[in-house]
Amino acid sequence: DNKKMAGTTGIRNIVSQVLVMHGNRIILGRWKSGELAGRKTALLGLVDRGEDPIEASCRIAKEIANIDLDPSKLVRKAILTMDSTYPDQEGKEGFEEIYDEHELVYDAGPEETIQPEETESMEPRWVDIDRIPYAEMPRDDEFWYPAVIEGKSLRGIFSFEGEKIVHKHIWEVPRILDDIYEDAADGIEHRWT
């Protein structure tokens, strides 16, 4: 197999996605550029190597929606392993990218007023939970968002060929254990079967 794996080490990248919710609403944003241009997600970004994932989530929310989150209110709800294969195209060699996406929920209390603001990266808006536009979002979101919004904790694996999901397996867990989460944040590879 002559495919190359993205990155130069065996340490996986970590992506954090924060679902900021208030009652029956959630903040989703339309990406203005990059790989997700035109699509909508919750507050999503890369966790820097050595960065605490909770702190990273707060940084990401500030950078892409100009909102300040109380880190003590972030709840870890899911860890999803994404395995994406990009086939050879137009004479370019294909490659594979594997990363862990950590899903966190921030439940804004009645005392909090959170008003997301448009930034260079994203146009974030409050959306009613029953009107989440899954057709405008990454393909995997429709399979795990509803369960996480309901308060369930999940572990999952998605395999993609380009944009197409070729395999998915999601299972409910009692909770996301801090030691597993912290090991994953440190880039230690785990195999859940």
Side-chain angles (χ1 to χ4, degrees):
D1 191 339
N2 62 357
K3 291 182 181 165
K4 292 184 179 176
M5 186 158 166
T8 56
T9 68
I11 297 175
R12 283 192 200 155
N13 284 327
I14 305 289
V15 172
S16 172
Q17 183 164 200
V18 183
L19 285 69
V20 177
M21 298 191 300
H22 190 273
N24 67 344
R25 298 185 313 155
I26 185 171
I27 294 176
L28 297 177
R30 186 185 65 77
W31 287 93
K32 294 180 179 182
S33 61
E35 180 183 333
L36 293 169
R39 291 198 278 175
K40 295 179 179 177
T41 69
L43 307 180
L44 178 75
L46 187 64
V47 175
D48 294 332
R49 294 248 183 259
E51 185 178 24
D52 175 80
I54 297 290
E55 290 174 12
S57 299
C58 292
R59 172 187 52 79
I60 291 162
K62 184 68 172 175
E63 288 175 0
I64 65 175
N66 200 28
I67 58 175
D68 294 306
L69 300 180
D70 174 355
S72 70
K73 293 182 71 173
L74 284 164
V75 179
R76 302 164 179 146
K77 296 308 292 181
I79 298 176
L80 306 174
T81 298
M82 306 295 187
D83 181 354
S84 301
T85 302
Y86 300 90
D88 299 348
Q89 294 180 348
E90 300 174 22
K92 295 180 182 175
E93 190 172 352
F95 68 94
E96 181 178 19
E97 176 182 38
I98 300 174
Y99 63 92
D100 287 326
E101 187 171 299
H102 294 211
E103 317 303 345
L104 296 97
V105 170
Y106 186 91
D107 191 3
E111 72 287 351
E112 285 183 270
T113 302
I114 296 178
Q115 187 55 47
E117 296 177 11
E118 184 173 339
T119 62
E120 187 177 305
S121 304
M122 178 182 262
E123 295 174 10
R125 303 280 182 266
W126 284 106
V127 175
D128 288 339
I129 287 173
D130 61 356
R131 294 179 164 249
I132 292 175
Y134 291 112
E136 300 174 48
M137 299 169 71
R139 304 254 187 269
D140 60 281
D141 291 357
E142 69 182 294
F143 297 105
W144 62 264
Y145 259 64
V148 166
I149 288 169
E150 288 176 15
K152 295 177 181 174
S153 296
L154 306 175
R155 183 72 182 97
I157 299 169
F158 287 88
S159 296
F160 296 86
E161 285 182 6
E163 295 289 318
K164 180 182 176 190
I165 295 174
V166 293
H167 173 78
K168 70 178 180 325
H169 183 68
I170 304 167
W171 61 99
E172 190 172 346
V173 294
R175 68 183 190 280
I176 300 299
L177 301 173
D178 288 343
D179 58 340
I180 290 173
Y181 186 84
E182 288 167 6
D183 284 350
D186 290 337
I188 297 170
E189 186 169 332
H190 294 280
R191 292 278 178 212
W192 286 277
T193 56

